[in-house]
Amino acid sequence: APISINNLRFRYFSSSDMAFRVGFSVSSSSTTTPDVKNQGTSNETELEDKSSTFGLSINPGIEKHFEGTDRLSPYVGAVLNFSMLSTKDVDEELDGVTATSSYESETTGGSTTFGLNLVLGTDWYISKHLYLGTEVGFGFSTTSIGDDEVTNATGPDTETVTTVNGSSFNLGPNFNSAIRLGFLF
């Protein structure tokens, strides 16, 4: 998508060359998919598969701006990154014995990410209060992937199986391919 809004960022200039910033995003999605079993038979059963996700990201930081030209404002800065994601999938399945009664299989999981980026960016002022900007960075992030829990509810019986997940660590350059459009109030 050439134009999208993946987060909102606010800056407060404490002086002409120092700014505090915070970016955040909240996302949520839910999908319900019909799943017809034994289609065209006397045992045709309509089931539903549901999946949902919720994500939250908060990115506070600081920027040191330098004099450029009348319209160009280069800066360096540091940004803390924190995000979390939770997922839930509920699938209705047919009971293998009767092939007519159903049960639910529920899978939950998620992850938490923490990181620090050193950034280099620039803002180009189209007019006095409107700018375009971009930035690149170098930093690290660590992601802890939560354990997946699968719960099968077959009638009065419930069985839960836990899959232990690990973590990941990333270090290196990063680039946000978006061009920012900003307003100065």
Side-chain angles (χ1 to χ4, degrees), residues 12-28:
Y12 172 75
F13 283 87
S14 61
S15 64
S16 63
D17 65 343
M18 188 64 65
F20 297 97
R21 74 188 221 180
V22 63
F24 71 94
S25 68
V26 175
S27 63
S28 179

Side-chain angles (χ1 to χ4, degrees), residues 58-135:
I58 300 173
N59 310 104
I62 190 167
E63 299 172 355
K64 167 72 171 148
H65 287 254
F66 301 99
E67 289 188 23
T69 63
D70 289 341
R71 293 183 175 224
L72 188 66
S73 178
Y75 63 88
V76 296
V79 181
L80 288 173
N81 298 315
F82 173 78
S83 63
M84 59 182 260
L85 176 70
S86 65
T87 61
K88 180 178 180 180
D89 293 314
V90 178
D91 297 329
E92 288 185 326
E93 300 289 342
L94 283 179
D95 184 353
V97 177
T98 65
T100 57
S101 62
S102 63
Y103 69 94
E104 287 188 351
S105 173
E106 180 178 299
T107 305
T108 58
S111 64
T112 303
T113 301
F114 176 77
L116 174 67
N117 281 315
L118 302 177
V119 295
L120 172 65
T122 188
D123 297 329
W124 180 66
Y125 284 84
I126 299 168
S127 69
K128 189 174 182 179
H129 295 286
L130 179 68
Y131 66 87
L132 294 174
T134 189
E135 71 183 28

